[in-house]
Amino acid sequence: MADYTIGMDLGGTNLRAAAIDKEGRMLDKISGATNFAEGREAVLSDIVAAITNLGEKHGAAGLAGIGVGVPGFIRMKEGLITSSNNLPFLENFPIRDEITRRLGTKFILENDANAAALGEKWMGAGRGVDDLVLLTLGTGIGGGIISGGRVLRGFVGMAGELGHITVVPNGNPCGCGNQGCVEKHASATAVTAMARLMQLGHDVGSKELAEIARGRDERGEKARTIWRIMGESLGVALAMLINTFNFPLYLLSGGMLPAWEFFEPHMIRVAKERSFTFRATATETKIAQATLGNEAGLYGAAYLPWIEK
Ligand SMILES: [Zn+2]
């Protein structure tokens, strides 16, 4: 009888996989650096080895399916990653069919931020909520939309690229070809760049900038200005999302949450100013912190086989 699934998170530098039962209990977790420099075959072997390892430990008969979250644009129907900064040699390679062939078990490919959003819906801050948006605040900003309890994918699987919502029409240029994308104004990378412009240091991370913001000196004031700008940019994006979806829950995750107290008031203020829907539903619409951290993607990937047929 099928009683567990395997969720995998294929990141930029490492691969993590977990066996999780149907109630969401993590039975086992493995992680390791993948040898991305060695190319496609090395990574494919690592994926197969991790799944085989967990499958042998927990019994092949009980395995209901495998979900894999990957960074990049997915073509669901073809089982391809069409574009990924972190996994360039997997681009346009039939990864789903190749792994299925090697393992003899079907697996589901999903964008990593979509998987994280689904994980939060299943076992995190979105438990019991069927409609939510997750923004992952990291070096870029990822997005995942859960509608009716399922990942909203669009017609090829590229929906939810929320980091590229324009929040400043003539803002900072982005690698996607647009300018003023929210990830160029509110990601960890953007915050570090602003800290440099404000002469707070060359490589100030989000956590450090949160610490500086606690100071009652000039540096503290500069840091609070940066968090205000970051929060306002997020607020513009959230206003659009709230107007578009009228969902009850918008979650934020990532390494910038330690600065929540500094950017949250600005984010909420701007989202309210710009969204009639938000003002009209202020007590029912929640903007909150995600709770699963970097395990969200593992839970979401593991949940996929239970809900996708
Ligand atoms: Zn962009």
Side-chain angles (χ1 to χ4, degrees), residues 55-247:
E56 278 170 0
K57 262 165 63 188
H58 298 277
L63 180 59
I66 301 157
V68 181
V70 296
F73 290 98
I74 309 291
R75 280 199 168 256
M76 282 305 288
K77 216 162 80 190
E78 295 91 342
L80 297 175
I81 307 165
T82 57
S83 172
S84 174
N85 289 334
N86 296 324
L87 307 166
F89 46 79
L90 287 179
E91 284 178 9
N92 298 310
F93 173 77
I95 179 170
R96 182 194 59 204
D97 295 347
E98 179 58 24
I99 303 266
T100 300
R101 189 183 66 76
R102 293 189 193 195
L103 288 168
T105 316
K106 231 179 93 173
F107 88 94
I108 301 165
L109 201 60
E110 183 58 91
N111 168 271
D112 57 355
N114 287 354
L118 189 62
E120 291 290 341
K121 182 259 167 299
W122 187 30
M123 294 304 295
R127 280 174 95 148
V129 179
D130 277 340
D131 303 294
L132 64 88
V133 170
L134 171 71
L135 295 174
T136 62
L137 310 176
T139 51
I141 293 183
I145 303 161
I146 304 299
S147 178
R150 310 266 306 251
V151 176
L152 190 136
R153 296 199 174 103
F155 81 99
V156 297
M158 296 183 190
E161 287 297 326
L162 307 178
H164 300 285
I165 287 180
T166 303
V167 296
V168 184
N170 290 306
N172 297 330
C174 180
C176 75
N178 186 22
Q179 60 185 118
C181 295
V182 64
E183 77 166 34
K184 289 292 168 256
H185 293 266
S187 64
T189 316
V191 160
T192 297
M194 282 190 268
R196 195 178 308 127
L197 290 170
M198 299 282 273
Q199 292 167 332
L200 289 173
H202 252 268
D203 201 19
V204 179
S206 302
K207 223 170 149 185
E208 193 187 337
L209 193 66
E211 283 310 313
I212 297 172
R214 282 174 226 290
R216 289 287 120 195
D217 54 357
E218 194 192 338
R219 282 169 61 79
E221 200 172 310
K222 285 181 177 179
R224 289 192 296 278
T225 298
I226 294 170
W227 289 121
R228 172 180 59 76
I229 293 167
M230 177 273 191
E232 288 171 347
S233 301
L234 270 183
V236 176
L238 283 162
M240 282 187 236
L241 293 169
I242 293 167
N243 285 349
T244 305
F245 293 113
N246 182 214
F247 284 169

Side-chain angles (χ1 to χ4, degrees), residues 5-11 14-21 24-26 28-31 50 54 65-70 111-120 122-123 292-306:
T5 57
I6 292 174
M8 181 177 276
D9 184 22
L10 193 57
N14 64 46
L15 174 158
R16 298 178 305 142
I20 298 178
D21 74 11
R25 285 181 293 252
M26 196 175 279
D28 206 346
K29 189 171 84 167
I30 54 176
S31 67
L54 287 172
I66 301 157
V68 181
V70 296
N111 168 271
D112 57 355
N114 287 354
L118 189 62
E120 291 290 341
W122 187 30
M123 294 304 295
L292 294 178
N294 64 5
E295 307 228 302
L298 288 175
Y299 281 101
Y303 191 48
L304 283 167
W306 298 120

